[in-house]
Amino acid sequence: QVQLVESGGDLVQPGGSLRLSCVASGFTSDVYAMGWFRRAPGKEREGVACISSSGSSGYYAGSVAGRFTISRDNTKNALYLQMNSLKPEDTAVYYCAARLAAGTMKNMCMMTTGGYWGQGTQVTVSS
């Protein structure tokens, strides 16, 4: 059974940092491109950051570039998102996703359906 389980979401003040984790089970994640997506209240799900199966290439949405860093550890079937300088507009449920044959990582981050998805973890940025 394929599972993606996210953790690390929390309430944090503006300017703060969080590190999200996603652990995959039931499949060998090192052949899958993976990514972080988010859905803010009243908005559609959007791609935040995506990384190739080897970790050699990545893509960031413009709204998070320079503040967020995506990484993966294929020995642990794990995906991470380091989020710094958090803003209230980063408030959302964050989802981990995995997909075969994603093309470019920009393309991976545009695909908000299909593939494997976790249940999400809530990030709230508020003072």
Side-chain angles (χ1 to χ4, degrees):
Q1 181 181 357
V2 173
Q3 268 196 317
L4 295 172
V5 180
E6 303 95 336
S7 62
D10 205 345
L11 169 64
V12 62
Q13 292 188 344
S17 297
L18 279 177
R19 188 189 194 214
L20 304 184
S21 298
C22 171
V23 177
S25 61
F27 67 102
T28 304
S29 66
D30 63 357
V31 297
Y32 286 75
M34 298 187 76
W36 288 99
F37 295 72
R38 68 186 181 187
R39 188 194 300 271
K43 296 187 178 181
E44 294 186 354
R45 186 156 57 187
E46 63 173 353
V48 173
C50 295
I51 189 168
S52 62
S53 57
S54 66
S56 62
S57 63
Y59 170 83
Y60 295 91
S63 58
V64 307
R67 298 188 298 121
F68 291 10
T69 302
I70 189 170
S71 61
R72 63 189 297 165
D73 184 343
N74 286 339
T75 66
K76 298 180 179 179
N77 269 8
L79 179 73
Y80 307 102
L81 186 68
Q82 178 67 42
M83 304 187 295
N84 298 329
S85 302
L86 283 161
K87 304 176 182 180
E89 51 264 43
D90 294 318
T91 295
V93 178
Y94 283 72
Y95 300 90
C96 168
R99 180 188 299 274
L100 284 171
T104 67
M105 290 307 97
K106 180 178 181 179
N107 192 54
M108 168 73 181
C109 268
M110 291 174 64
M111 292 187 283
T112 57
T113 60
Y116 298 119
W117 293 83
Q119 292 301 304
T121 185
Q122 176 70 48
V123 172
T124 303
V125 185
S126 175
S127 55

